[in-house]
Amino acid sequence: MPLKMKKTVQQMVDEASAEIETVPVADAIKLVGQPGVTFIDIRDPRELWRDGSIPGAINVTRGMLEMWIDPESPYAKDYFQSGNKFIFFCAGAWRSALATKTAQDMGLMPVAHLEGGLGAWKKAGGPVAKVEPKK
């Protein structure tokens, strides 16, 4: 018998989306390369290598997000202390909605996520940079 969940992933995404800012793709495309805006790609590196990424985006895998945001963590990343606006994205906007909500709950501000993820970005003709595995 399948396990009965208290909440489905869809419910969690819907709840997160109700509490976070969502940036429409057309608006986000205009923000690429702008000072004070950092795109955070939370996909797995294999997805980046296969599908590319938004130019200039920083890859922060979902599994390390909280540790890299928290300035008291031994894994903290300086760029999260920059005061920039962070726009999180993934392939289809589920993981990024949850990641954005987590970042917001931790106190990282301002944060938003990309409507529709990289799939919608590509469909809208947004620029995509090739990502090579690190050697």
Side-chain angles (χ1 to χ4, degrees):
M1 176 190 292
L3 180 65
K4 176 71 174 141
M5 307 277 33
K6 289 182 181 182
K7 287 186 185 181
T8 66
V9 171
Q10 183 65 62
Q11 287 171 314
M12 291 177 66
V13 169
D14 291 346
E15 288 173 8
S17 296
E19 295 184 34
I20 60 174
E21 178 186 353
T22 299
V23 179
V25 174
D27 294 346
I29 289 171
K30 297 173 192 165
L31 295 173
V32 172
Q34 294 297 313
V37 177
T38 301
F39 284 86
I40 302 290
D41 189 337
I42 64 162
R43 296 175 302 140
D44 181 87
R46 290 177 296 258
E47 293 176 273
L48 277 69
W49 306 333
R50 183 187 66 217
D51 302 325
S53 188
I54 294 173
I58 297 172
N59 179 229
V60 178
T61 59
R62 182 66 189 92
M64 291 303 293
L65 181 68
E66 293 85 350
M67 279 67 74
W68 288 9
I69 289 173
D70 183 355
E72 295 181 28
S73 163
Y75 302 102
K77 299 294 185 186
D78 289 340
Y79 49 79
F80 278 122
Q81 313 313 314
S82 67
N84 283 1
K85 177 170 189 159
F86 296 95
I87 301 175
F88 292 82
F89 69 97
C90 60
W94 281 28
R95 289 175 286 176
S96 62
L98 297 173
T100 302
K101 174 75 167 73
T102 296
Q104 182 172 292
D105 287 350
M106 291 180 73
L108 186 67
M109 294 298 276
V111 294
H113 91 119
L114 176 64
E115 181 178 45
L118 190 65
W121 179 271
K122 285 181 168 184
K123 212 175 209 179
V128 176
K130 187 169 175 52
V131 178
E132 297 289 340
K134 291 183 176 152
K135 303 209 175 195

Coordinates of all heavy atoms in Angstrom, one line a residue, residues 20-82:
I20 N 6.2 33.8 -2.0 CA 7.4 34.3 -2.6 C 7.1 35.1 -3.8 O 6.1 35.0 -4.4 CB 8.4 33.1 -3.0 CG1 7.8 32.2 -4.0 CG2 8.9 32.4 -1.7 CD1 8.7 31.1 -4.5
E21 N 8.1 35.9 -4.2 CA 8.0 36.6 -5.5 C 8.4 35.7 -6.7 O 9.4 35.0 -6.6 CB 9.0 37.8 -5.5 CG 9.0 38.6 -6.7 CD 10.0 39.7 -6.8 OE1 10.7 40.0 -5.8 OE2 10.1 40.3 -7.9
T22 N 7.6 35.8 -7.7 CA 7.9 35.1 -8.9 C 8.1 36.1 -10.0 O 7.3 37.0 -10.3 CB 6.7 34.2 -9.3 OG1 6.5 33.2 -8.3 CG2 7.0 33.4 -10.6
V23 N 9.3 36.0 -10.7 CA 9.7 36.9 -11.7 C 9.3 36.3 -13.1 O 9.7 35.3 -13.4 CB 11.2 37.2 -11.7 CG1 11.6 38.2 -12.8 CG2 11.6 37.8 -10.3
P24 N 8.4 37.0 -13.8 CA 8.1 36.6 -15.2 C 9.4 36.5 -16.1 O 10.3 37.3 -15.9 CB 7.1 37.6 -15.7 CG 6.6 38.3 -14.5 CD 7.7 38.3 -13.5
V25 N 9.4 35.5 -17.0 CA 10.6 35.3 -17.8 C 11.0 36.5 -18.6 O 12.1 36.9 -18.6 CB 10.3 34.1 -18.8 CG1 11.5 33.9 -19.7 CG2 10.1 32.8 -18.0
A26 N 10.0 37.2 -19.2 CA 10.3 38.4 -20.0 C 11.1 39.5 -19.1 O 12.0 40.1 -19.6 CB 9.1 39.0 -20.6
D27 N 10.6 39.6 -17.8 CA 11.3 40.6 -16.9 C 12.7 40.1 -16.5 O 13.6 40.8 -16.5 CB 10.5 40.8 -15.7 CG 9.1 41.5 -16.0 OD1 9.0 42.0 -17.1 OD2 8.3 41.5 -15.1
A28 N 12.8 38.8 -16.3 CA 14.1 38.2 -15.9 C 15.1 38.3 -17.0 O 16.3 38.5 -16.7 CB 13.9 36.7 -15.5
I29 N 14.7 38.1 -18.2 CA 15.7 38.2 -19.3 C 16.3 39.6 -19.3 O 17.5 39.7 -19.6 CB 15.0 37.9 -20.7 CG1 14.6 36.4 -20.8 CG2 15.8 38.3 -21.9 CD1 13.7 36.0 -21.9
K30 N 15.6 40.6 -19.0 CA 16.2 42.0 -18.9 C 17.1 42.2 -17.8 O 17.9 43.1 -17.8 CB 15.0 43.0 -18.8 CG 14.1 43.0 -20.0 CD 12.9 43.9 -19.8 CE 11.8 43.7 -20.8 NZ 10.6 44.3 -20.4
L31 N 17.1 41.3 -16.8 CA 18.0 41.4 -15.6 C 19.3 40.7 -15.7 O 20.2 40.9 -14.9 CB 17.2 40.9 -14.4 CG 16.0 41.6 -14.0 CD1 15.2 40.9 -12.9 CD2 16.3 43.1 -13.6
V32 N 19.5 39.9 -16.8 CA 20.8 39.2 -17.0 C 21.9 40.2 -17.1 O 21.8 41.1 -17.9 CB 20.7 38.2 -18.2 CG1 22.1 37.7 -18.5 CG2 19.7 37.1 -18.0
G33 N 22.9 40.0 -16.2 CA 24.1 40.9 -16.3 C 23.9 42.2 -15.6 O 24.9 43.0 -15.6
Q34 N 22.8 42.5 -15.0 CA 22.5 43.7 -14.4 C 23.2 43.7 -13.0 O 23.2 42.7 -12.3 CB 21.0 44.0 -14.2 CG 20.3 44.2 -15.5 CD 20.8 45.5 -16.2 OE1 21.0 46.5 -15.7 NE2 21.1 45.3 -17.5
P35 N 23.8 44.9 -12.6 CA 24.4 44.9 -11.2 C 23.3 44.7 -10.2 O 22.2 45.2 -10.3 CB 25.0 46.3 -11.2 CG 24.5 47.1 -12.3 CD 23.9 46.1 -13.3
G36 N 23.6 44.1 -9.1 CA 22.7 43.9 -8.0 C 21.8 42.7 -8.1 O 20.9 42.5 -7.3
V37 N 21.9 41.9 -9.2 CA 21.1 40.8 -9.4 C 21.9 39.5 -9.7 O 22.8 39.6 -10.5 CB 20.1 41.0 -10.7 CG1 19.3 39.7 -10.9 CG2 19.2 42.2 -10.5
T38 N 21.7 38.5 -8.9 CA 22.4 37.2 -9.1 C 21.4 36.1 -9.3 O 20.5 35.9 -8.5 CB 23.2 36.9 -7.8 OG1 24.1 38.0 -7.6 CG2 24.0 35.6 -8.0
F39 N 21.6 35.4 -10.4 CA 20.8 34.2 -10.7 C 21.4 33.0 -10.1 O 22.7 32.8 -10.2 CB 20.7 34.0 -12.3 CG 19.8 35.0 -12.9 CD1 20.2 36.2 -13.4 CD2 18.4 34.6 -13.2 CE1 19.3 37.1 -14.0 CE2 17.5 35.5 -13.8 CZ 18.0 36.7 -14.2
I40 N 20.6 32.2 -9.4 CA 21.1 31.0 -8.7 C 20.4 29.8 -9.4 O 19.2 29.6 -9.3 CB 20.8 31.1 -7.2 CG1 21.4 32.3 -6.5 CG2 21.2 29.7 -6.5 CD1 22.9 32.3 -6.4
D41 N 21.3 29.0 -10.0 CA 20.8 27.7 -10.6 C 20.9 26.6 -9.6 O 22.0 26.2 -9.3 CB 21.7 27.5 -11.9 CG 21.2 26.4 -12.8 OD1 20.4 25.5 -12.3 OD2 21.5 26.4 -14.0
I42 N 19.8 26.1 -9.2 CA 19.9 25.0 -8.2 C 19.8 23.6 -8.7 O 19.7 22.6 -8.0 CB 18.7 25.2 -7.1 CG1 17.4 25.1 -7.7 CG2 18.9 26.6 -6.4 CD1 16.3 24.8 -6.7
R43 N 20.0 23.5 -10.0 CA 19.9 22.2 -10.6 C 21.2 21.4 -10.4 O 22.2 22.0 -10.0 CB 19.7 22.3 -12.1 CG 18.4 22.9 -12.5 CD 18.2 23.1 -14.0 NE 19.3 24.0 -14.4 CZ 19.9 23.9 -15.6 NH1 19.6 22.9 -16.4 NH2 20.9 24.7 -15.9
D44 N 21.1 20.1 -10.6 CA 22.3 19.2 -10.5 C 23.3 19.6 -11.6 O 22.9 19.9 -12.7 CB 21.8 17.8 -10.6 CG 22.9 16.8 -10.5 OD1 23.2 16.4 -9.4 OD2 23.5 16.4 -11.5
P45 N 24.6 19.5 -11.3 CA 25.6 19.8 -12.3 C 25.4 19.1 -13.6 O 25.6 19.6 -14.7 CB 26.9 19.4 -11.7 CG 26.7 19.6 -10.2 CD 25.2 19.2 -10.0
R46 N 24.9 17.8 -13.6 CA 24.7 17.1 -14.8 C 23.6 17.7 -15.7 O 23.7 17.7 -16.9 CB 24.3 15.6 -14.5 CG 25.4 14.8 -14.0 CD 25.0 13.4 -13.6 NE 24.0 13.4 -12.5 CZ 24.2 13.2 -11.3 NH1 25.4 12.8 -10.9 NH2 23.3 13.2 -10.4
E47 N 22.6 18.4 -15.1 CA 21.6 19.1 -15.8 C 22.3 20.4 -16.5 O 21.9 20.7 -17.6 CB 20.5 19.6 -14.9 CG 19.7 18.4 -14.4 CD 18.6 18.9 -13.4 OE1 18.9 19.1 -12.2 OE2 17.5 19.2 -13.9
L48 N 23.2 21.0 -15.8 CA 23.9 22.2 -16.4 C 24.7 21.8 -17.6 O 24.6 22.4 -18.6 CB 24.8 22.8 -15.3 CG 24.1 23.8 -14.4 CD1 23.2 23.1 -13.4 CD2 25.2 24.6 -13.6
W49 N 25.4 20.7 -17.4 CA 26.3 20.2 -18.5 C 25.4 19.8 -19.8 O 25.8 20.1 -20.9 CB 27.1 19.0 -18.1 CG 28.0 19.3 -16.9 CD1 28.4 20.5 -16.4 CD2 28.4 18.3 -16.0 NE1 29.1 20.3 -15.3 CE2 29.1 19.0 -15.0 CE3 28.2 16.9 -15.9 CZ2 29.7 18.3 -13.9 CZ3 28.8 16.3 -14.8 CH2 29.6 16.9 -13.8
R50 N 24.3 19.3 -19.5 CA 23.4 18.8 -20.6 C 22.7 19.9 -21.2 O 22.5 20.0 -22.5 CB 22.4 17.7 -20.1 CG 21.5 17.1 -21.1 CD 20.5 16.2 -20.5 NE 19.6 17.0 -19.7 CZ 19.0 16.6 -18.5 NH1 19.3 15.4 -18.0 NH2 18.2 17.4 -17.9
D51 N 22.1 20.9 -20.4 CA 21.1 21.8 -20.9 C 21.6 23.3 -20.9 O 20.9 24.2 -21.4 CB 19.9 21.8 -20.0 CG 19.2 20.4 -20.1 OD1 19.3 19.8 -21.1 OD2 18.7 20.0 -19.0
G52 N 22.8 23.5 -20.4 CA 23.3 24.9 -20.3 C 22.7 25.6 -19.1 O 21.9 25.0 -18.3
S53 N 23.0 26.9 -19.0 CA 22.4 27.7 -17.9 C 22.3 29.1 -18.3 O 22.8 29.5 -19.4 CB 23.4 27.6 -16.6 OG 22.7 28.2 -15.5
I54 N 21.7 29.9 -17.5 CA 21.6 31.4 -17.7 C 23.0 32.0 -17.6 O 23.7 31.7 -16.6 CB 20.6 32.0 -16.7 CG1 19.2 31.5 -17.0 CG2 20.6 33.6 -16.8 CD1 18.1 31.9 -16.0
P55 N 23.4 32.8 -18.5 CA 24.8 33.4 -18.4 C 25.0 34.1 -17.1 O 24.2 34.9 -16.7 CB 24.8 34.4 -19.6 CG 23.8 33.8 -20.6 CD 22.7 33.2 -19.7
G56 N 26.1 33.7 -16.5 CA 26.5 34.4 -15.2 C 25.9 33.8 -14.0 O 26.2 34.2 -12.9
A57 N 25.0 32.8 -14.2 CA 24.3 32.2 -13.0 C 25.3 31.4 -12.2 O 26.3 30.8 -12.7 CB 23.2 31.2 -13.4
I58 N 25.1 31.4 -10.9 CA 25.9 30.6 -9.9 C 25.2 29.3 -9.6 O 24.0 29.3 -9.3 CB 26.2 31.3 -8.6 CG1 27.0 32.6 -8.9 CG2 26.9 30.5 -7.6 CD1 27.1 33.6 -7.7
N59 N 25.9 28.2 -9.8 CA 25.2 26.9 -9.4 C 25.4 26.6 -8.0 O 26.4 26.6 -7.4 CB 25.9 25.7 -10.3 CG 25.3 24.4 -10.0 OD1 26.0 23.4 -9.7 ND2 24.0 24.3 -10.0
V60 N 24.2 26.4 -7.3 CA 24.1 26.1 -5.9 C 23.2 24.9 -5.8 O 22.0 25.1 -5.9 CB 23.6 27.2 -5.0 CG1 23.5 26.8 -3.6 CG2 24.5 28.5 -5.2
T61 N 23.7 23.7 -5.7 CA 22.9 22.5 -5.7 C 21.9 22.6 -4.6 O 22.3 23.1 -3.5 CB 23.6 21.2 -5.7 OG1 24.4 21.2 -4.5 CG2 24.5 21.1 -7.0
R62 N 20.7 22.1 -4.8 CA 19.7 22.2 -3.7 C 20.1 21.6 -2.4 O 19.8 22.1 -1.3 CB 18.4 21.4 -4.3 CG 17.2 21.5 -3.4 CD 16.7 22.9 -3.2 NE 15.7 22.9 -2.2 CZ 15.9 23.2 -0.9 NH1 17.1 23.4 -0.5 NH2 14.9 23.2 0.0
G63 N 21.0 20.6 -2.4 CA 21.4 19.9 -1.2 C 22.3 20.8 -0.4 O 22.5 20.5 0.8
M64 N 23.0 21.8 -0.9 CA 23.9 22.6 -0.2 C 23.3 24.0 0.1 O 24.0 24.8 0.8 CB 25.2 22.8 -0.9 CG 26.0 21.5 -1.0 SD 26.4 20.8 0.7 CE 27.5 22.0 1.3
L65 N 22.2 24.3 -0.4 CA 21.6 25.7 -0.3 C 21.7 26.3 1.1 O 22.2 27.4 1.3 CB 20.2 25.7 -0.8 CG 19.5 27.0 -0.8 CD1 20.1 28.0 -1.8 CD2 18.0 26.9 -1.1
E66 N 21.1 25.6 2.1 CA 21.0 26.2 3.4 C 22.4 26.5 4.0 O 22.7 27.5 4.6 CB 20.2 25.3 4.4 CG 18.7 25.2 4.0 CD 18.4 24.2 2.9 OE1 19.3 23.6 2.3 OE2 17.2 23.9 2.7
M67 N 23.3 25.5 3.8 CA 24.7 25.6 4.3 C 25.4 26.8 3.7 O 26.2 27.5 4.3 CB 25.5 24.3 4.1 CG 25.2 23.3 5.2 SD 23.5 22.6 5.1 CE 23.5 21.5 3.7
W68 N 25.2 27.0 2.4 CA 25.9 28.1 1.7 C 25.3 29.5 2.0 O 26.0 30.5 1.9 CB 25.9 27.8 0.2 CG 26.8 26.7 -0.2 CD1 27.5 25.8 0.6 CD2 27.2 26.3 -1.5 NE1 28.2 24.9 -0.1 CE2 28.0 25.2 -1.4 CE3 26.9 26.8 -2.8 CZ2 28.6 24.6 -2.5 CZ3 27.4 26.2 -3.9 CH2 28.3 25.1 -3.8
I69 N 24.0 29.5 2.3 CA 23.4 30.8 2.7 C 23.8 31.3 4.1 O 24.0 32.5 4.3 CB 21.8 30.7 2.6 CG1 21.4 30.6 1.1 CG2 21.2 31.9 3.2 CD1 19.9 30.3 0.9
D70 N 23.8 30.4 5.0 CA 24.0 30.7 6.4 C 25.4 31.3 6.7 O 26.4 30.5 6.6 CB 23.7 29.5 7.3 CG 23.8 29.8 8.8 OD1 24.2 30.9 9.2 OD2 23.5 28.8 9.6
P71 N 25.5 32.5 7.1 CA 26.9 33.1 7.3 C 27.6 32.4 8.4 O 28.8 32.5 8.5 CB 26.6 34.6 7.5 CG 25.2 34.7 8.0 CD 24.5 33.5 7.3
E72 N 26.9 31.7 9.3 CA 27.6 31.1 10.4 C 28.0 29.6 10.1 O 28.6 29.0 10.9 CB 26.6 31.1 11.7 CG 26.4 32.5 12.1 CD 25.5 32.6 13.4 OE1 25.5 31.6 14.1 OE2 24.8 33.6 13.5
S73 N 27.6 29.2 8.9 CA 28.0 27.8 8.5 C 29.4 27.8 8.0 O 29.9 28.7 7.4 CB 27.1 27.4 7.4 OG 27.6 26.3 6.7
P74 N 30.1 26.7 8.3 CA 31.5 26.6 7.7 C 31.5 26.5 6.2 O 32.6 26.7 5.6 CB 32.0 25.3 8.4 CG 30.8 24.5 8.8 CD 29.7 25.5 9.1
Y75 N 30.4 26.3 5.6 CA 30.3 26.3 4.1 C 29.8 27.6 3.5 O 29.5 27.6 2.3 CB 29.4 25.1 3.7 CG 29.8 23.8 4.3 CD1 29.2 23.2 5.4 CD2 30.9 23.1 3.7 CE1 29.6 22.0 5.9 CE2 31.3 21.9 4.2 CZ 30.7 21.4 5.3 OH 31.1 20.2 5.8
A76 N 29.6 28.6 4.3 CA 29.0 29.9 3.8 C 29.7 30.4 2.6 O 30.9 30.3 2.6 CB 28.9 30.9 4.9
K77 N 28.9 30.9 1.7 CA 29.5 31.6 0.5 C 29.3 33.1 0.6 O 28.2 33.6 0.8 CB 28.8 31.0 -0.8 CG 29.0 29.5 -1.0 CD 30.5 29.2 -1.3 CE 30.6 27.7 -1.6 NZ 32.0 27.3 -1.7
D78 N 30.4 33.8 0.3 CA 30.3 35.3 0.4 C 29.3 35.9 -0.5 O 28.7 36.9 -0.1 CB 31.7 35.9 0.1 CG 32.7 35.6 1.2 OD1 32.3 35.3 2.3 OD2 33.9 35.7 0.9
Y79 N 29.1 35.3 -1.6 CA 28.1 36.0 -2.6 C 26.7 36.1 -2.0 O 26.0 37.0 -2.3 CB 28.1 35.4 -4.0 CG 28.0 33.9 -4.0 CD1 26.7 33.2 -3.8 CD2 29.1 33.1 -4.2 CE1 26.6 31.9 -3.9 CE2 29.0 31.7 -4.3 CZ 27.8 31.1 -4.1 OH 27.6 29.7 -4.2
F80 N 26.4 35.2 -1.0 CA 25.1 35.3 -0.4 C 25.0 36.4 0.6 O 23.9 36.8 1.1 CB 24.6 34.0 0.2 CG 24.1 33.0 -0.7 CD1 24.6 31.7 -0.9 CD2 23.0 33.3 -1.5 CE1 24.1 30.8 -1.8 CE2 22.4 32.4 -2.4 CZ 23.0 31.1 -2.5
Q81 N 26.1 37.0 0.9 CA 26.1 38.2 1.8 C 26.3 39.5 1.1 O 26.5 40.5 1.7 CB 27.3 38.1 2.8 CG 27.5 36.7 3.5 CD 26.2 36.1 4.0 OE1 25.4 36.8 4.7 NE2 25.9 34.8 3.8
S82 N 26.1 39.5 -0.2 CA 26.3 40.6 -1.1 C 25.2 41.7 -1.0 O 25.4 42.8 -1.4 CB 26.5 40.2 -2.5 OG 25.2 39.7 -3.0

